[in-house]
Amino acid sequence: MGDLLVNRLKNGIVIDHVVSGKGIHIITLLAEKTAGHRVILLQHAESRKMGTKDLIKLEDVKLEDTDLQFISLFAPNATVNFIENEEVVRKHSVKAPEMVSGLIRCPNARCITNDPGEAEFLVSRLKRVKTGYICDYCEQVWTTKTYPDGWSANKVGV
């Protein structure tokens, strides 16, 4: 069987250093941006630093700051490479934010932040839970395991 080659990107985004298995979540949350574009997901690739990792290539896709914040929730140590004319023109290291507002919603269905017109869901980063956030109102913990139920309604239609 012949080798499958992945061409270099002329223009687009490469998201590297994604925790193995989390790449599919990133592609899912970027579905609207990537519709009609070539998307390549390499899962469980060997990595000297991480053991294994996922890598994502998005052809002719542009990302905004909000997209980078979403990526940071699933891949807090990812590197986003911006490609133009087959050259890396910018590298951005995402970091999980200490505070999150409007990106995710509280997993507690009875929390006041889930009522339309009420207080916006504001969470603080938990120090003791590596990928978790805690609601400032009801103290419920949100983690990437609550995905997709914990996404903000204005982002992915949940």
Side-chain angles (χ1 to χ4, degrees):
M1 186 172 197
D3 291 335
L4 178 63
L5 299 176
V6 178
N7 294 333
R8 292 179 64 143
L9 286 180
K10 180 167 175 123
N11 296 298
I13 306 284
V14 176
I15 305 170
D16 198 1
H17 305 110
V18 176
V19 175
S20 280
K22 298 294 184 185
I24 191 70
H25 299 302
I26 293 170
I27 288 173
T28 301
L29 73 92
L30 295 175
E32 284 184 30
K33 291 247 178 199
T34 60
H37 296 277
R38 186 170 293 139
V39 175
I40 299 164
L41 171 61
L42 178 61
Q43 293 184 299
H44 310 293
E46 289 183 23
S47 169
R48 284 182 294 224
K49 290 182 182 179
M50 301 173 67
T52 61
K53 66 180 181 179
D54 288 0
L55 182 128
I56 302 165
K57 286 187 172 190
L58 309 170
E59 189 173 66
D60 294 322
V61 173
K62 301 216 184 285
L63 297 179
E64 299 170 18
D65 288 341
T66 305
D67 302 314
L68 297 174
Q69 290 174 355
F70 267 102
I71 290 168
S72 75
L73 296 175
F74 285 103
N77 297 309
T79 302
V80 180
N81 298 298
F82 297 83
I83 312 294
E84 292 178 12
N85 298 316
E86 297 185 0
E87 298 290 329
V88 176
V89 295
R90 184 172 76 124
K91 286 186 175 221
H92 177 79
S93 296
V94 299
K95 297 289 180 219
E98 292 299 313
M99 296 290 289
V100 178
S101 179
L103 290 178
I104 56 179
R105 69 178 185 199
C106 183
N108 176 0
R110 296 185 347 205
C111 181
I112 191 170
T113 62
N114 284 321
D115 289 336
E118 293 297 329
E120 183 178 73
F121 179 48
L122 177 68
V123 293
S124 302
R125 179 107 174 116
L126 275 178
K127 300 299 182 198
R128 66 183 190 280
V129 178
K130 190 174 183 179
T131 58
Y133 292 84
I134 190 167
C135 178
D136 283 350
Y137 294 94
C138 73
E139 299 184 354
Q140 179 75 35
V141 176
W142 179 95
T143 70
T144 57
K145 291 179 180 162
T146 63
Y147 171 81
D149 295 330
W151 287 116
S152 169
N154 63 359
K155 181 64 180 174
V156 293
V158 174

